[in-house]
Amino acid sequence: MEEKKKKTVGYTTGIFDMFHVGHLNILRRAKEQCDYLIVGVSTDELCLSYKHKKPVIPFEERKRIIQAIRYVDEVVAQEDRDKFRAWETLKFDKMFVGDDWKGSPLFAALEEKFRRAGVEIVYFPYTQGTSSTMLREKLDKLENETV
């Protein structure tokens, strides 16, 4: 009798405001390392609570954009930043995150909790030259030049 291979469930999160190639790179690379990819899209309220700014693209539109990406199997609302609580609900095997978080106090503690739970954290290199913050700054600069 053939043994059934367990599907690997992956999880990543983001605001995904002003969708760009860096976002696509993370989703593509995550899907390459799992069979089923769940993506948490941060709500507008969550963004306001820790970034102190509202996303340019509203939550429901960002969610629809992410749902349309072929690498994504499921989209959930990320209403808080507690990744372990997300794991308790979603039971993923791997969590994918940008390497700009590696070594941060938040992820140092999370690595230990996830290690005990058997969850692997995979860090991806940050896409140089592109970010939503950079796009926002360019737009602000263009807006100020036309005034």
Side-chain angles (χ1 to χ4, degrees), residues 51-117:
K51 289 236 177 192
H52 310 291
K53 58 186 172 188
K54 191 173 181 181
V56 174
I57 310 296
F59 170 74
E60 286 299 328
E61 291 179 24
R62 290 182 287 115
K63 185 178 171 189
R64 285 203 321 261
I65 290 166
I66 299 305
Q67 286 171 326
I69 305 295
R70 70 178 178 190
Y71 307 119
V72 177
D73 296 296
E74 183 180 345
V75 176
V76 296
Q78 179 182 226
E79 296 175 336
D80 64 46
R81 297 174 73 195
D82 188 334
K83 310 299 188 206
F84 199 78
R85 188 175 326 154
W87 173 78
E88 290 173 326
T89 302
L90 302 169
K91 298 298 185 199
F92 47 85
D93 305 293
K94 291 183 175 187
M95 186 175 140
F96 305 102
V97 65
D99 64 2
D100 50 328
W101 287 100
K102 191 170 190 153
S104 71
L106 175 71
F107 273 84
L110 198 53
E111 281 178 18
E112 180 57 28
K113 282 178 96 171
F114 274 153
R115 185 187 60 72
R116 281 185 260 133

Side-chain angles (χ1 to χ4, degrees), residues 15 45-55 81 101 132-133:
I15 298 171
E45 295 77 16
L46 178 60
C47 296
L48 274 170
S49 75
Y50 77 97
K51 289 236 177 192
H52 310 291
K53 58 186 172 188
K54 191 173 181 181
R81 297 174 73 195
W101 287 100
S132 295
T133 300

Side-chain angles (χ1 to χ4, degrees), residues 19-30:
F19 194 84
H20 55 74
V21 74
H23 294 139
L24 189 62
N25 289 342
I26 287 173
L27 298 175
R28 178 185 47 79
R29 293 186 72 195

